[in-house]
Amino acid sequence: MQRYRTVICGAGIAGVATAYYLSRATDSGSVLLLDKLPPLSLTTSKSGENYRDYWPQQCMTEFSSRSLDLMEALAAEHGNVFSMREFGYQFVSREPGRDIFGPDAGQAAGVTRELDRAAIRTRWPHLSAAIRQVVSIARAGALDVNALGSLLLAEARAAGTAVMRDEIIGLSESASGGFEIRTGQQTLAADHLVLASGPFAAAMAAQLGVHLPVESYAQRKFVIPDPLAIIPRDMPFTICADPLQLDWSDGERELIGDDPAYRWLLQTFPPGLHIKPEGRDRIKLGWAFNRESESPRWDIPVDPDFPNLTIRGASQFIPGLSAYIDNVPTPVTQYAGYYTRSAENWPLIGPLNDNGLFVVSGLSGYGTMAACAAGELCALHIRSGALPAYGRQFHPRRYSDAAVLAEISALDSDGQL
């Protein structure tokens, strides 16, 4: 039986980053990255590929800032092969007094707020005249997640990390210590086991008798052409901070209300609808309004109504997009993946027991931007290194920590986009 010091279950961006930071330690021993699919598939390949350091809580701000520091260092060292580029975020609202992330949001640098209605109209004429507040985040932008993951993977492999593509059939603790991993082809042994399998981490933990307090929600994004050039090419990643009710004609509203299958379209939708330029002549939109968790599956069916529904919502803060309602430009490229999250939307990173079981999970919608700090933190736990302050908030055993529970109970925003 082949034995490894550490087996990482899951070769998405979180698992790859964990392998990379373990491989940098002289005492890391042998590491195996194990996945049914090729590296950086499934949820990682559906990323919006954005980053920011502005979050509702200081621990999340520090966590994301650390990850951006690590990515910037990688970009400087490797010629920015993953195209990390800073062009900002903008949160827009029709309410001048709205707290975007609540009054206790983490204090990120470079956050500015514009409340002058005339200035907003002059500087951002593509926005609705009803917009009364624009909050701009300076340290924010986009990157190529596949290129970042490929760099981390290549570096990890060069340092001795092995990569195996095989389906994990079963996990168990070994009577002699460590773990046994049964795959479709063989049984492997490991001293340490890391669950970094995205939406499937909870099911894997359950095989080992551990409850992982996360749930998975199918979410979607899509890319379309912008033939009318409605979205300025230099527009920051723009997020509506307001709840939205979709505009329907009286006739449409009556028809929708009469059909139980579609009555949900009359609900108030959550904030977070977002849009950004994509390449020279396309735009990418997303809206994480699904609040129904589900048992994850490998293939999520395409929702043909999602693009038109999202454009209908986006037209409320970028009116020019109304030209695309019921007239969505083609081709439409739709992405569907899972947001796997804890109730408070903090990640779970660290030991699940005292026997060598670790987890990197709950990176709901922010896995691309947080992967480096998440991988580094998990590697520190495995090596018994000194942890950053946020290690306590993200520890899987935080629900038995009275101080952290008090922080969680006081939350008024989860930062979900």
Side-chain angles (χ1 to χ4, degrees):
M1 184 187 304
Q2 179 70 47
R3 189 174 193 92
Y4 295 88
R5 178 78 178 276
T6 305
V7 171
I8 301 169
C9 300
I13 188 65
V16 167
T18 302
Y20 170 79
Y21 286 102
L22 271 178
S23 74
R24 293 172 62 85
T26 55
D27 61 346
S28 62
S30 60
V31 177
L32 172 67
L33 197 56
L34 177 62
D35 201 313
K36 171 183 176 179
L37 298 178
L40 309 172
S41 302
L42 203 64
T43 300
T44 296
S45 66
K46 316 302 188 301
S47 170
E49 302 188 300
N50 307 302
Y51 66 84
R52 58 182 160 117
D53 68 348
Y54 181 57
W55 286 84
Q57 302 89 32
Q58 192 63 34
C59 62
M60 286 296 292
T61 296
E62 292 173 359
F63 177 57
S64 59
S65 294
R66 173 59 180 167
S67 206
L68 300 195
D69 289 344
L70 292 170
M71 288 193 292
E72 288 169 354
L74 285 165
E77 182 180 354
H78 297 280
N80 198 19
V81 295
F82 49 92
S83 303
M84 189 176 185
R85 55 203 185 278
E86 191 171 279
F87 52 78
Y89 271 34
Q90 284 188 339
F91 292 85
V92 302
S93 174
R94 292 168 292 194
E95 302 292 334
R98 183 181 299 280
D99 287 314
I100 302 303
F101 276 154
D104 299 321
Q107 297 304 305
V111 178
T112 59
R113 189 183 307 268
E114 180 59 76
L115 299 173
D116 185 277
R117 195 168 189 173
I120 292 172
R121 294 294 299 143
T122 299
R123 295 179 63 186
W124 303 293
H126 59 282
L127 294 177
S128 166
I131 296 299
R132 300 292 304 277
Q133 178 182 187
V134 175
V135 174
S136 298
I137 316 303
R139 197 183 187 196
L143 54 88
D144 182 334
V145 67
N146 185 71
L148 171 62
S150 296
L151 170 64
L152 296 175
L153 182 60
E155 293 288 304
R157 295 181 84 157
T161 294
V163 179
M164 182 183 297
R165 183 176 173 185
D166 200 354
E167 183 173 7
I168 298 170
I169 304 299
L171 301 171
S172 60
E173 290 195 47
S174 172
S176 59
F179 301 87
E180 290 188 0
I181 305 99
R182 298 181 300 282
T183 76
Q185 301 179 27
Q186 60 189 302
T187 298
L188 307 169
D191 299 322
H192 303 135
L193 188 65
V194 179
L195 305 182
S197 46
F200 300 102
M204 288 186 177
Q207 293 184 45
L208 295 161
V210 176
H211 171 66
L212 197 62
V214 296
E215 293 188 317
S216 293
Y217 303 79
Q219 304 293 2
R220 304 174 189 278
K221 301 176 178 68
F222 64 95
V223 176
I224 57 173
D226 184 17
L228 300 180
I230 293 163
I231 300 303
R233 291 297 94 190
D234 61 350
M235 186 185 83
F237 184 68
T238 300
I239 306 103
C240 182
D242 298 330
L244 295 174
Q245 283 192 317
L246 301 182
D247 290 329
W248 305 102
S249 68
D250 290 341
E252 289 171 329
R253 185 172 293 276
E254 183 176 353
L255 287 172
I256 292 168
D258 288 341
D259 191 334
Y262 288 94
R263 203 169 291 155
W264 64 276
L265 294 172
L266 301 178
Q267 70 176 313
T268 298
F269 288 77
L273 195 162
H274 49 267
I275 181 170
K276 71 172 182 178
E278 185 83 355
R280 292 190 301 172
D281 56 2
R282 298 179 299 160
I283 53 179
K284 179 182 283 187
L285 298 94
W287 197 1
F289 59 72
N290 177 33
R291 295 297 188 265
E292 297 294 327
S293 64
E294 62 181 74
S295 296
R297 46 187 170 176
W298 292 100
D299 296 308
I300 304 175
V302 167
D303 181 354
D305 297 323
F306 181 74
N308 193 63
L309 178 66
T310 303
I311 289 170
R312 187 178 288 271
S315 68
Q316 294 192 27
F317 63 97
I318 302 179
L321 290 172
S322 61
Y324 296 153
I325 296 176
D326 298 324
N327 186 34
V328 179
T330 58
V332 178
T333 303
Q334 189 174 145
Y335 309 85
Y338 287 105
Y339 279 13
T340 299
R341 51 169 288 163
S342 63
E344 63 278 4
N345 204 28
W346 291 357
L348 292 160
I349 305 170
L352 287 170
N353 61 25
D354 296 325
N355 301 328
L357 180 62
F358 298 84
V359 68
V360 182
S361 185
L363 302 171
S364 170
Y366 54 87
T368 291
M369 70 184 83
C372 285
E376 178 191 54
L377 179 57
C378 186
L380 288 171
H381 276 292
I382 292 171
R383 291 159 38 208
S384 300
L387 302 179
Y390 52 74
R392 182 177 182 182
Q393 282 96 342
F394 304 156
H395 199 291
R397 300 177 190 173
R398 62 178 175 250
Y399 302 108
S400 59
D401 184 324
V404 176
L405 280 177
E407 286 186 59
I408 291 173
S409 66
L411 299 181
D412 56 11
S413 174
D414 64 7
Q416 185 74 78
L417 297 181

